Amino acid sequence: MSPEESENAFGQPQASPSVPITVSITRAVDPDRIPDVTRWVQAGVNLANRYPGFLGSGWVRQGADSVHWHMLYRFADATLLEKWESSADRRAWLEGGRELVRESRVEKRTGIEGWFDQPQVLQAPDADGQASATVAPPRWKQATSIWLGFFPVNLAFTLLVTTLLPGWNDLATALKVLLTTVVLTPIMAYWVLPGVTRLLRRIGFL
């Protein structure tokens, strides 16, 4: 796969313009040209940093002798990411690395997985080309985190509407579920889940 090819790793449709997008890239590089690759990758980071909406990046090698390199970068929304991906700067940068990169895999991560990504710049590479990177937690931990946020919010909402809204229990089940999800989905996405994940990181669960 060429450096310009991409796919959505989770089979999801393109994210709405307001959703931050994390791009994960895996490249196999020429082991005899590590210094050239290091300079090329850093040049790409420097270019992306000039574009509006760039939230940060980081890259890491699997090991000192590995030819596989991993890179993450994030933009604030799909529109700003598209401006970077379609830019002349990026095309020229990719062209300059064609002899260095033998293959590439690109994944655009959105949706629930994105709640567990760190939105800040990852640790910059050191003199040996090494860097730290955030790894998404196992799915059971992700599911536990979502449940820890959803259960109390859903319970509080149910108690609230059944107490304060006469006739709530007389509504059709489908209508009650519709109203509940319309109200709780943005609350979970924008406030509860980010707060829960930050708390769980502080205690070492994620």
Side-chain angles (χ1 to χ4, degrees), residues 45-122:
V45 172
N46 294 340
L47 280 175
N49 197 40
R50 301 175 186 174
Y51 281 73
F54 181 70
L55 299 180
S57 67
W59 54 277
V60 61
R61 293 159 61 185
Q62 286 186 345
D65 300 325
S66 175
V67 299
H68 292 99
W69 291 29
H70 304 282
M71 180 178 182
L72 295 174
Y73 65 89
R74 171 174 278 192
F75 273 80
D77 59 48
T79 300
L80 295 173
L81 174 62
E82 173 61 23
K83 289 181 180 179
W84 157 247
E85 291 188 331
S86 61
S87 67
D89 286 336
R90 181 174 179 270
R91 288 195 297 271
W93 174 69
L94 289 173
E95 183 63 31
R98 289 190 182 277
E99 295 183 357
L100 305 175
V101 181
R102 295 203 299 264
E103 60 181 270
S104 179
R105 177 178 176 84
V106 181
E107 300 173 351
K108 294 181 179 179
R109 308 197 323 178
T110 57
I112 290 177
E113 297 281 343
W115 286 325
F116 298 93
D117 296 329
Q118 293 281 10
Q120 67 268 16
V121 178
L122 301 181

